[in-house]
Amino acid sequence: MSNFQTDSQNDLSASENTTRNTLDPSDWQSLREQGHRMLDDIIDHMSALHDKPVWQPIPQVKRDLFTEPLPHGPSSLASAHQRFMEDVLPYSVGNASPGFMGWVQGGGSPVGMLAEMLASGLNANLGGRDQMPLEVERQILHWMRELFHFPESASGLFVTGASMANMISVLVARNRILGQSVRRQGLADSPKKLVAYTSAGAHGCIMQAIDLCGMGTDYLRVIELDDQYQMNLVQLKQTIDNDRAQGLTPFFIAGSAGTVDVGAIDDLDAIADIAAAENLWFHIDGAFGAMAMLSKKIAPRLKGIERADSIAFDFHKWLQVPYDAGFIIVRDGSLHHDTFASPATYLRRETRGLAGGSPWPCDFGPDLSRGFRALKTWFTIKVYGADKLGSIIDKTCDLAQYLKTKIEAQSELEMMAPVALNVVCFRYLGKNNITADQLNETNADIVADLHESGLVAPSATSINGQIAIRAAMVNHRIEQRNVDILVEQVLRLGRLKLKD
Ligand SMILES: *Cc1c(COP(=O)(O)O)cnc(C)c1O
């Protein structure tokens, strides 16, 4: 009897229930068959992404399907899968689609998807203990040390994403400047008032990290950008001097390797010089940009990254690993360890047996239970190879240049920021003079209309107070024809709206 075919076949007999109460099926063969159907369906979906809308509005009746009360009885696996296929899959955000250029999101890959299935089947908990999955995570750390030219003593940890990775860096930097006693005494007892620095181009999660770490966002100095959208280093220097003159303690500076708005790379080498001279922790938010170390063309522009004290980045963006897979690498591994390690008795370490293999990942961050994010990352790097992944990064940057050329050839369109990497900010300008408000409204409308068309999905951002259409080329599936569609549709919608 199958536990998985239809709702009516789900009742286990009373005797079976008493002898064998488990979540495993009584009939593995029908599970296998249903599993193969599920695998086929998701591979069919992936292979046909080109023909599907990037996004479509969710009908209210579909939303309402997910407000049912807690189901006390079972359903068949087949019927739950059918619900997924009909009610969930068609209404996702579409970041796997070739028309998706919104925000900075990776497209995932078939290899990563299959690896995630294996990881889930193994159900490894990577908080610690002596197990091979941790060697896979350490292999990734090993590769990242090599990529960023970090020493053997550098530590690293998988986390949800760059937001969490950036926060961890703030905590390690705090311990460096205040010493281990801050873990017991907190910030309030310290005579030092800490100040951090970043640029106006930094991601919002830097400010959030300063907030969450209890330092107060009033103590994050947001340094202005220069005309290349890089941190203004003259202002940085002056601000540090002013803060010192007021008796404050500068401790942390976050540079950006690929800003979220326009893809600018700070002058990392120059920031490293300032950090060294001023005894500041030099952190880099390289959420997507750090992976450009895999591109022979772009890597030289990241010069200085090898001097960072810590780098936060994501495998789920430019490296196309399925969500989520963020990472933090810290040059001083023992300081990183001492920031988080705790002596809980139930986490006692041994020299042999399962409780061996110390230090454990839970000694390097706030998570105890952790999934096997390393496996999908390992499969991605192993199967495609670093060079191929680097070529995808180059391809997306080439597409950004292609889009820029097309925009510059159209008098009705205007570039809004330089194209440093893979992000293009532009707007529809029209043929006649209209007010700034009208322009903002028109461009915001164009973006929303594009989303609803399902053809292509850029996002909107604001650059110096002006709304820009922002196309971030991250997804490996974007092709020139998707860029052509973007330009055609922006022109069509803009002309329609302004009656040009
Ligand atoms: C995406 C991004 C982040 C946040 O990363 P998550 O993985 O979403 O937490 C931080 N900084 C930059 C520059 C980003 O692009």
Side-chain angles (χ1 to χ4, degrees), residues 26 67-68 77 113 260:
S26 48
T67 56
E68 64 170 12
L77 177 58
M113 187 261 294
V260 64

Side-chain angles (χ1 to χ4, degrees), residues 84-351:
F84 169 78
M85 292 304 293
E86 289 170 8
D87 304 335
V88 179
L89 179 137
Y91 306 103
S92 69
V93 99
N95 53 306
S97 283
F100 190 89
M101 304 166 191
W103 302 276
V104 172
Q105 297 198 24
S109 79
V111 165
M113 187 261 294
L114 293 171
E116 188 73 321
M117 180 184 70
L118 302 184
S120 187
L122 195 59
N123 192 30
N125 178 350
L126 273 79
R129 298 164 196 90
D130 197 15
Q131 53 172 326
M132 208 56 198
L134 284 184
E135 297 304 336
V136 179
E137 180 155 346
R138 289 180 187 123
Q139 168 72 83
I140 306 291
L141 169 60
H142 191 82
W143 286 338
M144 293 305 109
R145 284 186 194 126
E146 184 182 328
L147 190 65
F148 296 119
H149 310 290
F150 267 42
E152 274 301 295
S153 50
S155 52
L157 187 75
F158 271 95
V159 289
T160 39
S163 303
M164 176 58 92
N166 282 316
M167 188 174 97
I168 288 176
S169 75
V170 172
L171 290 170
V172 183
R174 174 204 66 173
N175 276 40
R176 172 179 172 267
I177 193 88
L178 297 182
Q180 288 308 311
S181 62
V182 68
R183 292 190 63 190
R184 279 175 285 111
Q185 296 167 347
L187 292 170
D189 271 5
S190 170
K192 289 183 178 153
K193 188 83 207 163
L194 303 185
V195 202
Y197 304 81
T198 194
S199 82
H203 192 273
C205 69
I206 301 287
M207 184 167 280
Q208 188 192 42
I210 295 294
D211 170 12
L212 294 177
C213 295
M215 283 145 196
T217 54
D218 285 354
Y219 295 88
L220 176 68
R221 305 287 184 244
V222 179
I223 307 297
E224 283 172 11
L225 300 174
D226 63 20
D227 58 357
Q228 290 305 301
Y229 293 81
Q230 296 174 315
M231 190 187 300
N232 179 330
L233 299 183
V234 176
Q235 196 190 39
L236 170 66
K237 200 69 186 70
Q238 281 165 357
T239 311
I240 295 172
D241 289 347
N242 285 348
D243 286 331
R244 282 208 203 282
Q246 289 180 32
L248 302 170
T249 305
F251 84 109
F252 175 88
I253 173 161
S256 299
T259 58
V260 64
D261 262 346
V262 306
I265 303 169
D266 283 333
D267 185 343
L268 302 176
D269 221 16
I271 297 179
D273 287 340
I274 295 174
E278 297 284 346
N279 189 28
L280 301 186
W281 184 272
F282 174 31
H283 173 70
I284 294 177
D285 178 7
F288 70 95
M291 283 294 107
M293 287 299 278
L294 293 171
S295 152
K296 289 187 181 59
K297 262 194 263 176
I298 304 170
R301 292 170 48 203
L302 295 168
K303 191 170 174 332
I305 202 168
E306 73 288 350
R307 297 171 65 192
D309 290 304
S310 52
I311 311 169
F313 59 96
D314 285 318
F315 292 111
H316 57 220
K317 290 179 172 171
W318 243 350
L319 218 70
Q320 321 290 334
V321 171
Y323 284 89
D324 49 38
F327 202 84
I328 176 78
I329 185 164
V330 179
R331 173 179 306 280
D332 183 342
S334 60
L335 184 66
H336 183 187
H337 174 269
D338 293 347
T339 303
F340 290 98
S342 82
T345 46
Y346 48 85
L347 295 177
R348 222 180 105 81
R349 311 302 155 84
E350 308 291 352
T351 51

